[in-house]
Amino acid sequence: MPERSGKQSEKQSGKQSEKQSEQRRLAVLKTYKLYVGGAFPRSESGRVYEVTDASGRWLANAPLASRKDARNAVVAARKAFPRWSGATAYNRGQVLYRVAEMLEGRREQFRAEVADAEGLSAPKARAAVDAAIDRWVWYAGWTDKVAQVAGAANPVAGPYFNLSTPEPTGVVVVFAPQESSLLGLVSVLAPVLATGCTAVVVAAERAPLPALSLAEVLATSDVPGGVVNVLSGRVAELGPPLAAHGDVDALDLTGAGPEATALEAEAAGTLKRVRRPRPDEDWTADPGTGRLLWPLETKTVWHPMGV
Amino acid sequence: MSTFEYAPAPESRAVVDIAPSHGLFIGGEFRPAADGKVFKTVSPASEEVLSEVAWAGEADVDAAVAAARAAFPAWSALPGAERGKYLFRIARLLQEHSRELAVLETLDNGKPIRESRDVDLPLVAAHFFYYAGWADKLRYAGFGDAPRPLGVAAQVIPWNFPLLMLAWKIAPALATGNTVVLKPAETTPLTALRFAEICVQAGLPAGVVNIVTGDGATGAALVGHEGVDKVAFTGSTEVGRAIARTVAGTRKKLTLELGGKAANIVFDDAPLDQAVEGVVNGIFFNQGHVCCAGSRLLVQESVADELLDALKRRMATLRVGDPLDKNTDVGAINSAAQLARIEELTAAGEAEGAERWSPPCELPSTGYWFAPTLFTGVTQAHRVAREEIFGPVLSVLTFRTPDEAVAKANNTPYGLSAGIWTEKGSRILWMANRLRAGVIWSNTFNKFDPTSPFGGYRESGYGREGGRHGLEAYLDA
Amino acid sequence: MLSRPPSPSPAAAPGLADVTASDAALRRFLHGLPGVDAVGLDARAATLRTRSIKTTSKAFAIDLAIRMIDLTTLEGADTPGKVRSLCAKGAAPDPTDRDTPAVAAICVYPDLVTTAVQALRGTGIKVASVATAFPAGRAARDVKLADTRQAVADGADEIDMVIDRGAFLSGRYLAVFEEIAAVREACGGAHLKVILENGELATYDAIRRASWLAMLAGADFIKTSTGKVGVNATPPNTLLMLEAVRDFRAATGRQVGVKAAGGIRTTKDALAYLVLVNETAGPDWLSPDWFRLGASSLLNDLLMQRQKLRTGSYSGPDYVTVD
């Protein structure tokens, strides 16, 4: 018994000194950066903007990305497309599952960031982060099944083998939901990746920090550089050049807000595939397959059967 | 050294630690058989006793089924996403333990480490990964909006791919919400028991997976047990027939994956070098202990001599020997009984007038071994052309026209697989349409993938394993 | 212009002289060769890559690989000094161990042949020269032949020529055949290695056809690549060429060598190529007379591995010479 209490007091005094040093110690603040082509650059414009929590308290500065950053992000996404779309579906599934594993290890960080970003209570922030992790798992399981659900062997009337298979459309620009900084973002991004598309994400304008931190998770999760590129900044500034860009194949306008209609019209110039924003999307609900199917093209192969 | 002979390159045995005795895995715990009976499992390459394993009798089977039954309500009620996460965990643990399991598989089974390491184990983990993803997506699989599991699945698997057959059975069963009692083959129980430990490490609820080791009697007790709702069997056609009789008139849903006598059909416009590889892989992969093995080579007469020369040349480079050597291509025959069967059938082949050939090849003095063997001058009437040998023995027949090839290929009660070798795409599809087999490989052979359904026509069994189709066997659909 | 009917070269391909009698016959023959299934070929090469070469067989293979090296410098910046230094390295690769075998040949540009010949006198090491407007081969035939003759006159033992890939890809097989045959003639007693440039032929079917075309025209060796394009020697394309020389000998009785060049940098790579030779063409090709590795940086890695086998400790780049 005496021995035990001795240990306890030792432990207590250790805690006290820890606390004291914590009081003396000045926290190291994080410099948030963009994520483009697997690297973490500042905005080429050299600009930042202030990010605050729901009560207006300053949290950090975020890079204010420019149209040139957007251009660089599209170049990176295009460059990454052949390898990512050419990887086996099994491999993509492993990579997405790895994202879930890595995110699981950083739950505390994201709980805090999401709580600050969205003004959520601790339990609600916890639920949002856990759901975001499980969403990666959901889509990890889809990579090698989407073709089995969306493809078909077609019984054409003739001596032909006829097979329809889905293929990823290419580079997708994702305007992340404004109100759900992590769960909403994962819900729109993960399905795009699962299909084999590469993405340029415009993070939630007022709450970009969880997205910029998610980039750090992606960078250490076997996701090849350039497959996901994350920009923070103004939809009004980044949207038009991305919507008009000739090397972008699709736009997810979920978080584009009042700009959505103009961007959709801009996208018509190159006939981009567009997913319109839907009012009041519930990110906690069963995601279904809709977000998985929209960035796909169906390719049908005919081949004669004859000796 | 004046010639390029490969020095021995044995994979280290140090990664495995085989306990001297193994219990049954029932209700999340290992326990001896109720009557204390045990049997020995040996390494077929050396006849070394690897371990003693509990011999499950009826009481043990009863306990295992009861444990699976007890676990079923909670397991099947778990949200699909949570069930899936257990399976993802198992997939990851299998990946982490893959070298250990490969060595253990090779020791217990006799297959070359190159195959257990590069084929079996990657497929095992991939199978769990694939079905993990289905657990929360069953309503998209085409079996209704809310397909229900069946209950307790009794699963009996063979010795040729012990852990892979376990994965094919357990992964879809668990993903769909069933609980299982699995009986591994008598000669290869060790990796299944190691898998049980992985289930524990993964935190899988007790009773969801139960492993009972034993012989045919154990298997019969399991499939005949009143408490099982589903029977899945992979093995011989003869035992499959007996099981089908046993379950007749019961509620038990049955899937069978049985024998085969696959034709590997080579046309004169085939990519010849790859065809030779495919024929070799088709019959000598896993010592020919493969139900879908390409045991009949049907070659177009115009290219027969050329192909046979190339085949013999290639067979002469096959490296037969120590399965743990990383350079071994053909390992040991799994058991004395199987070796005797191969010897009996090859003797019959010679007696019936077929011409037997093997490359010069030195076989180890202990263990069970059979040299890669080729029979030419075989006709459809010969036993080596009709009966499943389940060994490294290839029967060569010839044909002249595509129709004749189809007729000969289909001229068997089996219908598990077939191979087609030609550079002409339309002929591949024409042939594939006419061949009565569950899997058709063209310009390749013995390819497996978790996303791809596998299973036979006719006496090769019914039901499919793998892919979306593989879910049906475990759903009330 | 009427092309001169090619002289059937019975010495090059006994029994197959008629297949080069006309453009049409040559096309029919080359397109009648069995196709290559790319997936199957790649898979076979990958399987052979898993061979594990240890202890005594590794020591044997490392020395054999050194003896098979065409130690190469093909840079615009090459000088006589650089070539002399390379020759010294080739003759005595490891100054700390005089038992180390010498390389097979030193491979240089034509204008440096004289330097190499002088530097290698008495060593038994061959001088190989690239020729025929290497690496692109985009020059008039006369220029290519003059290039070849000069190199031979300067003392080159072996000529590494490039085929006209443009002519090959546009289906003018007879033109390619004639050019190889003409270079063969210009070589006189020198050995001719015909570079197919697999990376530009792009398909395995084309590589098999080009292999046969070169052998029919009299190649002593067929060689994968110049080392100057994106894709050079790969295990599958080398395996395919080894099948071609194996089948050519079976058809004609004449044995042709194979040289894998470009991108082979490590001992592990080199050993993998020897395994391909051993299990595809067979032991008859396991000698510097029939298989070569065109490389520059490979030699030092082989030497470091050799030192490791000798001493039991891993070596480092400062324990081999940089030439």
Side-chain angles (χ1 to χ4, degrees), chain B residues 424-446:
Chain B
K424 189 167 175 180
S426 56
R427 183 188 293 144
I428 290 173
L429 296 169
W430 185 91
M431 292 286 295
N433 247 1
R434 280 157 184 76
L435 290 169
R436 288 199 306 261
V439 181
I440 310 286
W441 286 293
S442 47
N443 294 332
T444 188
F445 207 91
N446 271 346

Side-chain angles (χ1 to χ4, degrees), chain A residues 176-189:
Chain A
Q178 297 297 332
E179 74 290 0
S180 179
S181 60
L182 181 69
L183 177 57
L185 167 65
V186 171
S187 299
V188 298
L189 173 62

Side-chain angles (χ1 to χ4, degrees), chain A residues 94 134 138 145 148 286 306, chain B residues 85 130 137 139 426 451:
Chain A
Q94 299 255 300
D134 287 357
W138 163 260
K145 293 170 193 73
Q148 298 185 306
D286 181 329
Chain B
K85 284 198 279 188
Y130 176 76
K137 302 177 179 66
R139 65 187 177 282
S426 56
T451 67

Side-chain angles (χ1 to χ4, degrees), chain A residues 3-13:
Chain A
E3 207 180 291
R4 189 166 174 180
S5 63
K7 256 190 186 171
Q8 248 168 4
S9 67
E10 205 181 300
K11 207 173 166 190
Q12 273 167 359
S13 69

Side-chain angles (χ1 to χ4, degrees), chain B residues 3 26 85 106 122 156 204 244 298 311 375 407 410 435 440 442 453 460:
Chain B
T3 57
I26 295 173
K85 284 198 279 188
T106 284
V156 178
L204 193 70
L298 288 178
L311 186 57
F375 275 102
N410 285 343
L435 290 169
I440 310 286
S442 47
S460 290

Side-chain angles (χ1 to χ4, degrees), chain C residues 34 50 60 65 75 83 97-98 119 129 141 185 203 206 216 237 251 281 295:
Chain C
T50 68
F60 170 83
E75 302 297 333
V83 169
D97 182 2
R98 293 289 165 183
S129 172
R141 171 128 4 134
E185 202 176 305
T203 68
L216 289 167
N237 71 35

Side-chain angles (χ1 to χ4, degrees), chain A residues 76-235:
Chain A
R78 175 58 61 191
K79 193 171 166 209
F81 180 68
R83 181 176 157 201
W84 183 244
S85 60
T88 62
Y90 175 50
N91 179 252
R92 279 202 303 277
Q94 299 255 300
V95 171
L96 296 199
Y97 185 75
R98 183 73 179 154
V99 176
E101 287 182 338
M102 300 304 277
L103 202 50
E104 180 92 20
R106 294 171 68 161
R107 282 159 97 200
E108 293 308 325
Q109 175 197 342
F110 279 97
R111 282 172 182 171
E113 284 190 342
V114 168
D116 282 344
E118 301 175 25
L120 295 183
S121 66
K124 281 188 173 164
R126 187 177 309 140
V129 172
D130 289 354
I133 296 170
D134 287 357
R135 192 121 312 159
W136 283 108
V137 175
W138 163 260
Y139 284 112
W142 267 118
T143 58
D144 53 9
K145 293 170 193 73
V146 65
Q148 298 185 306
V149 171
N154 311 306
V156 295
Y160 298 96
F161 169 87
N162 188 288
L163 189 72
S164 295
T165 47
E167 287 189 354
T169 190
V171 173
V172 180
V173 173
V174 174
F175 293 90
Q178 297 297 332
E179 74 290 0
S180 179
S181 60
L182 181 69
L183 177 57
L185 167 65
V186 171
S187 299
V188 298
L189 173 62
V192 166
L193 301 185
T195 62
C197 291
T198 57
V200 174
V201 175
V202 180
E205 195 168 310
R206 286 194 311 102
L209 303 185
L212 296 172
S213 290
L214 181 68
E216 295 158 17
V217 171
L218 298 173
T220 51
S221 303
D222 306 332
V223 180
V227 168
V228 181
N229 305 276
V230 182
L231 304 174
S232 53
R234 311 284 179 226
V235 172

